[in-house]
Structures are given as C-alpha cells and as structure tokens.
Amino acid sequence: MKKYLFTPGPAPVPPEVLLEMSRPVIHHRTPEFSAILDSARERMRPLYGTKSEVILLASTGTGAMEAAVINLLQPGEHAIFVNGGKFGERWGKLLAAFGMIGHEVRVEWGRAARPEQIEDAFKAYPESRAVLVQASETSTCAIHPIAPIGEITRKHGAMLIVDGITSVGVFEQKMDEWSVDAFVTGSQKALMLPPGLGMVALSPRALEVAKANKTPRFYFDLMKELKAQRDEHTTAWTAAVSLILGLNKSLEMIHSEGLPNVYARHALMAEATRDAASALGLKLLSPDNPAPGVTGILIPEGLDGGKLVKFLRDNLGVSIQGGQDRMKGKLARIGHMGHLSPFDMLIAIGAFEIGLKQIGAKINLGAGVAAVQARIARSI
Ligand SMILES: *Cc1c(COP(=O)(O)O)cnc(C)c1O
C-alpha cells in the first residue's frame, strides 16, 4: 500500500534529499565536509531571519531546546514560560530539570498568548531573565505572537528563547527584528529531512551570556560547538554527516523554490485544510490564530478521533495525528509541512472524510475535498 505522511512531524522527505543522504559517508574533518557544513549553516540564516550564528546539533528538536536552556540560563535563575500546550509545558519541564525557577503563563489550548500576560508575568516576577515560548504550538495548532512578546521581553532586559520547530521554514521568521536570542528548530518538520538534527540560532547577546554561563554541560556546550562550526568549519563531535548533506540539499531546494513561494505554499495548504473543515461543518481548535504548518480539527462530540486516526493509518495508508493529553480522541491534526503540495491536501481530506464516516460522523462525502479544490483553483 502506498503510504502518505500528513503528521506534524515527521514530514515527507523529497527523493532528491533521500538520494543525497544515500551518498557514501564522508569524514567530518575534511575540506569537502567543511564546505557543506558552511553552506548549510549559511542557508539556514534566511529561514530564521538572522545575520547571526546558526549551530547544528546531532539531536532532535528537544535536544536543541535543552541546549538553549542550559547555555542561556543558570540554576536558580527565574524565567517566564508560555504553556499553551504540550511543547510549552516542555519548556517548564526543562527549566525544572536544570534547577531554574519557571513562572508559567497559562494559555488555554488553542489560544494565543496575549502580550499583556507576559507583561503581567514580568510585574509579578521582575527577576525573570528570560521568556520561553513556541512560535507555533504544534499540539494545539496555534501560533503565538512573537514580535510583541519580543518587544516586552527586550523592554525588561530579558532574553527571548523561541521554539520555532514548526515555524522555521513554514512562515516568515524575523529573529533579529523580533529580538529573539535563541531560536530553536529541528530537521523533521518543514526542513524536509528525517528526524535527528536540531538547530539553534543565537543572537550576539546570547553568545555573551552563554560564554559566562556556569550551568554544567558537555555535549550541548554551544560555545564549544560554535567554535568548532564557525572557526574550524567542522562539528565538535562526529557530525551527523548524512543528515547535514541532506540539509544542505533540502535548503538548496527551499531557496530555489524561493522563500516567499515556500511560505505561500504552506499558507495555501493550511487555508485549504481549514476550508475543508468548515465545509464539513467541523470546528478548529485554534480558529483565531491557526498555525500554517498544522491544522487541528475538532472531532464531533461523542465520536472517537483515535479510531479515525488508526483507521486511516491501517486501512488507507494515510497518517495524520490525533490529539495529545486532554485532546486525546477529540482532535485530528493534519500536518502540511515539508515536501507537500496543495494537491496533497485532496488526499489528506479525502481520506479524512472516509474516516469520519467510518466513526459515524454525519458529513457529506466530498464536501471537504471540493473546498480544497476550490481554494487551489482560486489561488491560481
Ligand atoms: C516536534 C516539536 C518539538 C520537538 O520534538 P522532538 O521530538 O524532540 O524533535 C518541539 N517543539 C515543537 C513545537 C514541535 O513541533
């Protein structure tokens, strides 16, 4: 059976990238590898919207989140974190694991953090050294407003640490303009790669802070890693050579498509998916601030969304993802990141409709598909 991947990570990898990664492994202390590493790091910058340094790590996105925390904060220091879903919650767990004092800004699932909430948190905890937030909270398919949060954070002299794992490469990011100090992403979402690479971009201020930071760290010592990558054109430890070859290739493809076109393609896929939900009479978890990389559609009351996800996977070869935690069984998350075209949403929605029927939803088969088709036709 042909398989289709519409999960919000991992996302489909193009054949060009798969071929590149199947090249014989080269040594990581060679001029050949150095040129590829330099090129990949350089090509990441426009995706972040930064002139600053991008560091590649052999880890998943969570490793890059951890690296940001332990290089910029020290045990006993205070930090504000936005918890609007599973990944925001993860910031809190990371802070606690390393002895930092996290102050939670709670955001209802599906909502965006309001800048006033950050302002209030600074009023209550003026000693806070950083704000940690997701640009796109994948568990609720919602985005948070990074620009105004950055403004408030800068005003209070704190650092802004952003998880951009489902925003970098999906929609325009302006790291320097938004005053982001550490911007994290990972390979297996919009970057069209298998899992296994994490990236952190650091502002000049973050570099200063990291240099003086006393938190115990070894593998994720970003200063050691930066020295290797920037000054010696290699990685501190054995590089994830094949993934970095793949990254350089996928970034070449992204830049040859053109970033504005890449962002427009993701936006169109998201719009088409939302149109489909609405045509089927279904509601979104985050109608006011939907993420362009993944759409969260609420399963009609009383029906089992878990069964739908399993039916699609086992019977139709189509993978979407359900809800996590309190949304378990109540949410369908359709990912539209990476190597996908708007036409792929016809498949995702076509299968989704069949799954809905299967679990007993009263929908008009084809209504969602027609909405996707109409949106694509309007975009031409
Ligand atoms: C996927 C994802 C992560 C990272 O998860 P890993 O499994 O460690 O790669 C972190 N934050 C967000 C918002 C994500 O979507």
Side-chain angles (χ1 to χ4, degrees), residues 60-62 65 87 90 134 136 138 163 165-166 188-189:
T60 68
T62 306
M65 291 170 77
F87 293 105
R90 190 168 297 175
Q134 271 61 38
S136 161
T138 317
D163 169 357
I165 298 179
T166 53
Q188 78 273 28
K189 316 246 169 143

Side-chain angles (χ1 to χ4, degrees), residues 114-325:
R114 285 177 293 106
E116 310 87 81
Q117 290 179 287
I118 309 299
E119 194 65 84
D120 290 347
F122 272 113
K123 270 194 204 113
Y125 309 104
E127 64 276 51
S128 296
R129 300 258 300 123
V131 172
L132 299 95
V133 63
Q134 271 61 38
S136 161
E137 172 51 79
T138 317
S139 64
T140 65
C141 311
I143 54 173
H144 293 307
I146 302 304
I149 292 175
E151 207 168 298
I152 293 161
T153 306
R154 190 176 50 216
K155 192 177 80 192
H156 289 276
M159 290 176 289
L160 181 59
I161 301 177
V162 178
D163 169 357
I165 298 179
T166 53
S167 69
V168 173
V170 178
F171 56 104
E172 190 175 14
Q173 309 295 292
K174 300 180 177 175
M175 174 168 174
D176 296 350
E177 197 180 312
W178 296 341
S179 321
V180 179
D181 291 292
F183 212 157
V184 171
T185 194
S187 56
Q188 78 273 28
K189 316 246 169 143
L191 296 178
M192 309 196 296
L193 287 167
L197 273 189
M199 298 87 175
V200 196
L202 295 178
S203 72
R205 178 168 69 153
L207 297 181
E208 290 308 308
V209 170
K211 233 178 268 167
N213 188 301
K214 300 271 190 297
T215 306
R217 58 206 196 270
F218 187 79
Y219 185 74
F220 285 133
D221 185 336
L222 291 179
M223 288 304 97
K224 202 177 333 174
E225 199 57 63
L226 178 64
K227 185 171 174 294
Q229 296 189 15
R230 181 187 58 195
D231 304 336
E232 294 152 23
H233 309 279
T234 185
T235 48
W237 322 109
T238 305
V241 170
S242 303
L243 281 166
I244 292 174
L245 258 61
L247 174 65
N248 194 40
K249 186 69 184 176
S250 75
L251 291 170
E252 181 193 311
M253 291 173 69
I254 286 170
H255 289 301
S256 90
E257 182 178 351
L259 279 181
N261 298 328
V262 169
Y263 300 150
R265 173 166 54 81
H266 283 93
L268 177 57
M269 292 191 286
E271 285 156 7
T273 308
R274 296 198 292 268
D275 285 357
S278 145
L280 289 164
L282 302 177
K283 295 212 161 12
L284 302 175
L285 176 58
S286 52
D288 302 328
N289 50 310
V294 53
T295 299
I297 303 173
L298 293 168
I299 298 295
E301 200 83 35
L303 302 181
D304 183 353
K307 230 157 86 185
L308 178 149
V309 171
K310 197 168 173 312
F311 175 82
L312 259 54
R313 185 193 63 206
D314 296 343
N315 298 279
L316 306 180
V318 172
S319 284
I320 63 168
Q321 215 164 352
Q324 294 164 278
D325 206 325

